[in-house]
C-alpha cells in the first residue's frame, strides 16, 4: 500500500454536499477487472458532455485549480460500496480528500488504499473554501504524524488572516498502516492461529 | 451486562480485541458477484494465497447480466468479460457459483435469504452496500470494499471497530396503500441521507414486528441510504417460519439447536443504544422522492420544499438537485407525467412485491406513455411468478416481465433510462445518472410505481384502491 506522511499542496475545491460514489465513478465504468485507469473517468458526467467535450465550468477542467488534495462538502462518498471510487480519485493524482463528513464505506476503502480521508469541522471546511476562493494557489499542509491540516496564511487588507490550522482524528492502527505502507491482510494473516482456534469453538 | 442485539452478535464473532486496534471480526458468510471481486482475486494471486474458507463463500452474477435472452452470450463485451472472469475465478478458487442458467441465480441479496443461506446471528458481508438487506433476519450484514473482499477471501475475517448502535422504533398501524418501502423512505426523509452514518440500526416497534420477512428486507436494505453500515431486526416466529425448509437452512436436530440460539437474539430490555428514534406509522403516507439523494423524499400529496427553506450552506446542492430533476420549488408531483416504471432491484423484486403489483394491475392496463419493466430478483422468483400466473396478468397489463438481475437500478446492463426521462422506480437510489446518463429517478413503493404505470402520471395509489 502507498505510504503517506506529510504533504504540502494546492487543492481542488468541490463545494457540493452528498457527493455519492455514482458521481465519483459512474457504474458503467465499473467493468474493468484491474485497479488501474479509473482516473480518466473520475466525475465523468460532471466533467464531460455526452460527446466527451470537457465541461468548462467543472473544477477539474479549470486550470486555475490543481494539486493532490480534493476538498468536498459533507457526506462525501455516500452510496455504493464501490472501491473504484477511491481508486479513481487516487488514479487522478489525489493523495488526500478533505470533507466535514465521510460515508463509512468510502472512508474505509480510501484508508485501505493509502488515500487519506480527513474529516474537519464545518467551520474549518468553510475556511478552506474561503481561502481557496480568495487565492486558488493557497497551499494546505497535511501532517499525518501530528494529525494536523494547516491552511497557508494570507492576510487580507482588512487584517483578517485566512490561514489557520486544525487537528484531525485517525484510528492509531490505520495511521501506522499509512505511515508504514502496511495493509490489513498483513496484520490479520499474522493471527491465523487465533482464527483457526476461534473456528474450533 | 445487558447488550443490544448488535453487541450480542458482534461479541460472539470477535477473534481478537486489543486496545488501540480494531477488532478482528469473524465472517460466517461471504457473498460475491462479478463487479467487486475480480481485483480481490487478483490480489490473492499476487500474494500467492488461496481462498481460506471457500465453502463459506457463495457467488452469483447479477450486476451486469442482461434481463432478456439471458442464456445467449452477453452482447456487451466488457460485461461478458467480467461475468466470464467470475466463472473462471470461482472455478480456480473452489467457490460455488450460481451463474447465468443456474436455477438459483439472481440478485445476491435476494438469493441469500431465499436459499436459507441468510440466518439469524450470522455475520455476512458482500462487496455491495445493500448487504444490509440480510439484517432482516437478525444478522450483522454489511457492504465492504474490494480490499476487504480480498481480506475475507484470505482470512475469513475483517478488521473493524465496533459500530455505534441506533434503535429506530416505528409503532402503530400503517394506513391503506402504505408499505415497508414507504416506512423506510419516510425515515430517511426525516433523518437525511447521512443521519445513520457510523451506526448499526436496529428496527423495532409494533409496525416493524407486523411486517413479513420480505417487507423487513426492504427496510433493512435501505439502511445504507441514511449512511448506516447495516440495519437489523430481531428474529421472531415470522423469521423462523420463513427460514424453515429452505434449501440450505438447518434441518432436524440442527434446526432445533439453531432455533434455541436464535431465540436468544434480541436486545436486552435495559440495553443502551447510542441513539433512539421513534416514529408513528400513522404519520406515514405513500412516499416519493423529488431530488437526487434518497433523503429528498416526501408524502406523495406534498409539495417540494423550497430552496430558501434549506440551511444556507445546503442551498447550492439542493438547487442543483432540483435543476437536475427539472422540478420547481414548491411544485406538487401529483399528476406529473412519467415515462418509465421500473419494478425490481434488491429492494423490491421479491415474490410478494410482484404479487402486490399483479393484484393491483389485474384487469387494468398501463398508460400508453409509459414503458414498464418488471425484473424479478431471482430465477426462483421468476419461476414462482409464472407458477402463480402473474406473468399473464403483467402481459395483459402491458408490463414486461424480464429475467433476473440488478438491471435498471444501476444500468450496468442494457436496461438504462434515457436522458431526461422520468422513471418511477422501486429501487434504492435516485442519484444523478444512476439509472442512465441524465435519467431522472423517483423512488417509490411497488404500489405507487404500479399506480403511475396505470395512470401515466404520479398518482396517490390510495385513490385507486377499493375501500
Amino acid at each position: 500500500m502507498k505510504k503517506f506522511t506529510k504533504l504540502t499542496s494546492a487543492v481542488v475545491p468541490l463545494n457540493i454536499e452528498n457527493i455519492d460514489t455514482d458521481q465519483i465513478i459512474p457504474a458503467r465504468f465499473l467493468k474493468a477487472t484491474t485497479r488501474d485507469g479509473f482516473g480518466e473517468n473520475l466525475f465523468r458526467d460532471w466533467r464531460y458532455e455526452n460527446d466527451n467535450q470537457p465541461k468548462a465550468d467543472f473544477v477539474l477542467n479549470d486550470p486555475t485549480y490543481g494539486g493532490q488534495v480534493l476538498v468536498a462538502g459533507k457526506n462525501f462518498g455516500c452510496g455504493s460500496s464501490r472501491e473504484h471510487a477511491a481508486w479513481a480519485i487516487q488514479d487522478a493524482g489525489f493523495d488526500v480528500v478533505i470533507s466535514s463528513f465521510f460515508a463509512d464505506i468510502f472512508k474505509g476503502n480510501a484508508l485501505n488504499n493509502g488515500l487519506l480521508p480527513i474529516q474537519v469541522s464545518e467551520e474549518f471546511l468553510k475556511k478552506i473554501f474561503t481561502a481557496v476562493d480568495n487565492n486558488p494557489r493557497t497551499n494546505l499542509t497535511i501532517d499525518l504524524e501530528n494529525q494536523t491540516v494547516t491552511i497557508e496564511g494570507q492576510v487580507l487588507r482588512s487584517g483578517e488572516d485566512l490561514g489557520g490550522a486544525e487537528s484531525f482524528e485517525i484510528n492509531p492502527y490505520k495511521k501506522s498502516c499509512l505511515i508504514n505502507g502496511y495493509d490489513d491482510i498483513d496484520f490479520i494473516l499474522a493471527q491465523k492461529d487465533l482464527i483457526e482456534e476461534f473456528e474450533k469453538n | 451486562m445487558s447488550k443490544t442485539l448488535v453487541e450480542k452478535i458482534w461479541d460472539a464473532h470477535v477473534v481478537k480485541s486489543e486496545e488501540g486496534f480494531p477488532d478482528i471480526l469473524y465472517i460466517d458468510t461471504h457473498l460475491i458477484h462479478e463487479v467487486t471481486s475480480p481485483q480481490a482475486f487478483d490480489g490473492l494471486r499476487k500474494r500467492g494465497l488461496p481462498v481460506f474458507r471457500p465453502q463459506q463463500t457463495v457467488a452469483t452474477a447479477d450486476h451486469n447480466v442482461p434481463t432478456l435472452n439471458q442464456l445467449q452470450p452477453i452482447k456487451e463485451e466488457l460485461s461478458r468479460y467480467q461475468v466470464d472472469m467470475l466463472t473462471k475465478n470461482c472455478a480456480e478458487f473452489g467457490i460455488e457459483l450460481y451463474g447465468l442458467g443456474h436455477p438459483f441465480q439472481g440478485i445476491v441479496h435476494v438469493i441469500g435469504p431465499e436459499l436459507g443461506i441468510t440466518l439469524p446471528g450470522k455475520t455476512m458481508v458482500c462487496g455491495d452496500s445493500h448487504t444490509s438487506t440480510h439484517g432482516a433476519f437478525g444478522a450483522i450484514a454489511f457492504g465492504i470494499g474490494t480490499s476487504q473482499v480480498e481480506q475475507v477471501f484470505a482470512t475469513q475475517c475483517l478488521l473493524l471497530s465496533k459500530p455505534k448502535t441506533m434503535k429506530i422504533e416505528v409503532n402503530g398501524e400503517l394506513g391503506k396503500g402504505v408499505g415497508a418501502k414507504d416506512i423506510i423512505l419516510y425515515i430517511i426523509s426525516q433523518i437525511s441521507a447521512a443521519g445513520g452514518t457510523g451506526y448499526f440500526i436496529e428496527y423495532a416497534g409494533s409496525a416493524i414486528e407486523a411486517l413479513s420477512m420480505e417487507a423487513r428486507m426492504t427496510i433493512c436494505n435501505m439502511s445504507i441510504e441514511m449512511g448506516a453500515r447495516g440495519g437489523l431486526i430481531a428474529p421472531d416466529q415470522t423469521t423462523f417460519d420463513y427460514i424453515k425448509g429452505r434449501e440450505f437452512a438447518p434441518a432436524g436436530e440442527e434446526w432445533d439447536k439453531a432455533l434455541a440460539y436464535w431465540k436468544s437474539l434480541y436486545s436486552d430490555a435495559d440495553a443502551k443504544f447510542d441513539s433512539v428514534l421513534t416514529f408513528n406509522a400513522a404519520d406515514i403516507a405513500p412516499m416519493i422522492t423529488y431530488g437526487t439523494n434518497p433523503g429528498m423524499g416526501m408524502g406523495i400529496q406534498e409539495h417540494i420544499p423550497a430552496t430558501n427553506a434549506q440551511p444556507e450552506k445546503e442551498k447550492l446542492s439542493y438547487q442543483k438537485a432540483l435543476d437536475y430533476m427539472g422540478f420547481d420549488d414548491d411544485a406538487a408531483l401529483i399528476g406529473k407525467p412519467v415515462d418509465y416504471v421500473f419494478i425490481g432491484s434488491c429492494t423490491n423484486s421479491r415474490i410478494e412485491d410482484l404479487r402486490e403489483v399483479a393484484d393491483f394491475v389485474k384487469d387494468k392496463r398501463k398508460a400508453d406513455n409509459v414503458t414498464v419493466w418488471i425484473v424479478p430478483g431471482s430465477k426462483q422468483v421468476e419461476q414462482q411468478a409464472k407458477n402463480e400466473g402473474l406473468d399473464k396478468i403483467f402481459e395483459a397489463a402491458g408490463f414486461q416481465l424480464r429475467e433476473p438481475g440488478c438491471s435498471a437500478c444501476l444500468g450496468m446492463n442494457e436496461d438504462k433510462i434515457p436522458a431526461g426521462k422520468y422513471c418511477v422506480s422501486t429501487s434504492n437510489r435516485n442519484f444523478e445518472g444512476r439509472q442512465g446518463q441524465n435519467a431522472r429517478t423517483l423512488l417509490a413503493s411497488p404500489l405507487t410505481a404500479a399506480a403511475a404505470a396505470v395512470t401515466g402520471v404520479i398518482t396517490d395509489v390510495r385513490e385507486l384502491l377499493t375501500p
Side-chain angles (χ1 to χ4, degrees):
Chain A
M1 197 179 73
K2 199 173 168 182
K3 291 184 187 182
F4 187 98
T5 48
K6 196 171 179 178
L7 171 73
T8 295
S9 164
V11 313
V12 176
L14 196 49
N15 195 358
I16 299 171
E17 303 197 330
N18 297 309
I19 296 177
D20 60 79
T21 53
D22 272 82
Q23 306 318 312
I24 299 172
I25 182 87
R28 64 186 187 279
F29 300 112
L30 304 186
K31 298 182 187 194
T33 53
T34 67
R35 290 174 181 238
D36 311 318
F38 291 102
E40 64 182 276
N41 294 314
L42 176 67
F43 294 114
R44 181 77 204 191
D45 295 337
W46 286 355
R47 197 168 151 198
Y48 297 100
E49 303 287 354
N50 285 351
D51 62 2
N52 298 326
Q53 287 306 306
K55 295 182 181 178
D57 60 351
F58 187 63
V59 68
L60 282 184
N61 297 325
D62 185 344
T64 316
Y65 300 98
Q68 294 139 269
V69 181
L70 181 66
V71 185
K74 78 162 189 210
N75 201 25
F76 185 82
C78 58
S80 157
S81 62
R82 60 189 70 167
E83 194 162 312
H84 312 66
W87 300 336
I89 293 170
Q90 211 167 29
D91 192 51
F94 295 102
D95 294 320
V96 175
V97 187
I98 295 176
S99 176
S100 56
F101 198 81
F102 287 96
D104 275 347
I105 305 180
F106 174 81
K107 190 174 177 181
N109 288 342
L111 286 167
N112 283 336
N113 286 279
L115 173 68
L116 178 60
I118 297 178
Q119 184 170 323
V120 297
S121 66
E122 282 291 349
E123 296 70 41
F124 194 73
L125 186 72
K126 197 174 164 196
K127 211 163 177 180
I128 298 175
F129 283 130
T130 306
V132 175
D133 203 31
N134 184 61
N135 175 11
R137 299 283 171 214
T138 302
N139 275 327
L140 250 55
T141 296
I142 291 96
D143 182 342
L144 179 57
E145 185 60 53
N146 293 308
Q147 298 179 214
T148 53
V149 187
T150 308
I151 308 169
E152 185 181 49
Q154 44 178 308
V155 182
L156 300 181
R157 271 189 214 131
S158 63
E160 188 191 354
D161 188 352
L162 297 183
E166 190 172 274
S167 60
F168 63 88
E169 299 285 320
I170 183 169
N171 177 290
Y173 161 76
K174 278 293 174 193
K175 179 176 169 180
S176 73
C177 284
L178 281 168
I179 290 173
N180 298 303
Y182 298 151
D183 70 17
D184 287 1
I185 295 186
D186 301 328
F187 182 86
I188 311 178
L189 276 177
Q191 320 277 333
K192 207 138 188 190
D193 293 350
L194 275 180
I195 298 169
E196 285 174 344
E197 193 59 37
F198 176 89
E199 286 180 322
K200 283 187 202 137
N201 302 325
Chain B
M1 203 186 86
S2 37
K3 288 181 176 182
T4 63
L5 175 55
V6 168
E7 288 166 330
K8 283 183 183 178
I9 303 171
W10 187 279
D11 293 349
H13 288 83
V14 172
V15 173
K16 190 180 180 185
S17 187
E18 196 181 339
E19 188 63 34
F21 289 88
D23 290 345
I24 300 182
L25 190 76
Y26 191 81
I27 303 301
D28 295 315
T29 301
H30 188 192
L31 304 167
I32 65 167
H33 62 84
E34 76 276 21
V35 178
T36 56
S37 65
Q39 294 87 350
F41 281 114
D42 259 358
L44 288 184
R45 283 189 200 98
K46 279 183 195 138
R47 293 173 199 257
L49 291 171
V51 170
F52 182 53
R53 294 291 179 247
Q55 71 279 16
Q56 287 167 239
T57 315
V58 178
T60 192
D62 55 4
H63 280 64
N64 264 304
V65 301
T67 56
L68 292 174
N69 305 315
Q70 222 167 41
L71 293 185
Q72 290 176 11
I74 300 174
K75 281 190 206 135
E76 216 263 317
E77 192 187 343
L78 289 173
S79 294
R80 188 174 67 242
Y81 183 72
Q82 211 170 40
V83 171
D84 288 349
M85 187 64 88
L86 180 70
T87 309
K88 185 176 151 280
N89 284 330
C90 286
E92 183 182 333
F93 288 92
I95 292 168
E96 183 81 35
L97 168 66
Y98 304 134
L100 286 180
H102 195 287
F104 295 163
Q105 181 267 337
I107 303 175
V108 66
H109 309 310
V110 174
I111 70 169
E114 76 182 5
L115 291 171
I117 293 168
T118 303
L119 298 174
K122 270 190 169 185
T123 48
M124 301 180 69
V125 296
C126 176
D128 188 284
S129 62
H130 293 110
T131 309
S132 57
T133 312
H134 307 266
F137 292 78
I140 286 189
F142 53 94
I144 56 178
T146 297
S147 292
Q148 292 174 308
V149 171
E150 188 182 338
Q151 288 167 33
V152 180
F153 278 159
T155 67
Q156 204 59 35
C157 288
L158 284 173
L159 270 182
L160 289 169
S161 300
K162 203 174 190 170
K164 290 186 288 181
T165 56
M166 177 188 284
K167 179 158 84 165
I168 295 184
E169 267 192 45
V170 187
N171 293 307
E173 270 185 51
L174 291 172
K176 187 182 65 167
V178 180
K181 182 63 164 289
D182 302 305
I183 297 179
I184 192 65
L185 284 173
Y186 175 79
I187 295 172
I188 303 167
S189 75
Q190 297 295 305
I191 76 169
S192 92
T197 304
Y199 293 95
F200 250 77
I201 297 173
E202 180 174 344
Y203 302 95
S206 58
I208 302 292
E209 287 161 21
L211 296 174
S212 70
M213 283 318 294
E214 302 205 347
R216 292 179 190 185
M217 285 187 244
T218 299
I219 302 253
C220 290
N221 171 275
M222 290 190 71
S223 302
I224 183 70
E225 307 314 335
M226 46 190 149
R229 200 72 185 266
L232 80 180
I233 295 170
D236 59 10
Q237 198 56 45
T238 306
T239 320
F240 311 142
D241 291 346
Y242 178 97
I243 298 168
K244 196 159 192 181
R246 292 195 178 261
E247 185 78 22
F248 299 111
E253 263 180 52
E254 290 294 313
W255 171 265
D256 297 335
K257 231 169 81 182
L259 191 63
Y261 172 56
W262 296 345
K263 287 184 171 171
S264 73
L265 296 174
Y266 52 83
S267 290
D268 296 324
D270 50 352
K272 287 245 177 335
F273 290 85
D274 296 298
S275 173
V276 178
L277 300 173
T278 306
F279 298 102
N280 186 351
D283 293 342
I284 306 174
M287 296 288 294
I288 194 146
T289 63
Y290 53 84
T292 57
N293 73 61
M296 299 176 81
M298 63 182 189
I300 196 144
Q301 295 282 0
E302 290 173 37
H303 287 226
I304 295 172
T307 304
N308 269 336
Q310 308 307 315
E312 193 56 40
K313 69 183 184 57
E314 291 172 20
K315 280 181 184 163
L316 195 71
S317 304
Y318 187 87
Q319 188 58 50
K320 183 174 184 295
L322 293 192
D323 290 347
Y324 180 87
M325 293 300 293
F327 292 150
D328 296 326
D329 268 9
D330 200 37
L333 287 183
I334 289 282
K336 165 107 198 136
V338 305
D339 307 293
Y340 283 79
V341 166
F342 171 62
I343 295 168
S345 89
C346 56
T347 314
N348 283 120
S349 63
R350 298 179 182 84
I351 191 67
E352 276 180 19
D353 300 314
L354 271 53
R355 282 182 192 139
E356 188 179 40
V357 171
D359 190 47
F360 175 79
V361 302
K362 199 169 183 178
D363 305 322
K364 296 188 180 81
R365 198 164 159 82
K366 77 168 186 71
D368 290 341
N369 59 307
V370 187
T371 301
V372 187
W373 294 335
I374 299 192
V375 180
S378 69
K379 283 315 266 189
Q380 294 207 83
V381 171
E382 183 190 357
Q383 191 54 52
Q384 182 69 26
K386 287 178 177 167
N387 293 348
E388 295 179 16
L390 306 186
D391 54 332
K392 298 284 182 297
I393 296 174
F394 294 141
E395 199 186 327
F399 290 19
Q400 190 181 31
L401 179 65
R402 298 167 77 110
E403 292 171 275
C406 299
S407 180
C409 174
L410 83 168
M412 276 195 80
N413 69 351
E414 299 85 347
D415 307 346
K416 293 177 173 65
I417 308 303
K421 299 293 184 191
Y422 289 96
C423 178
V424 178
S425 178
T426 68
S427 54
N428 39 57
R429 290 190 173 133
N430 50 354
F431 297 153
E432 285 184 33
R434 172 81 177 179
Q435 297 196 285
Q437 278 177 275
N438 295 309
R440 293 157 161 171
T441 303
L442 301 109
L443 300 176
S445 72
L447 263 186
T448 295
V454 166
T455 60
V457 297
I458 306 287
T459 300
D460 187 339
V461 69
R462 292 173 295 192
E463 290 166 6
L464 300 181
L465 295 173
T466 40

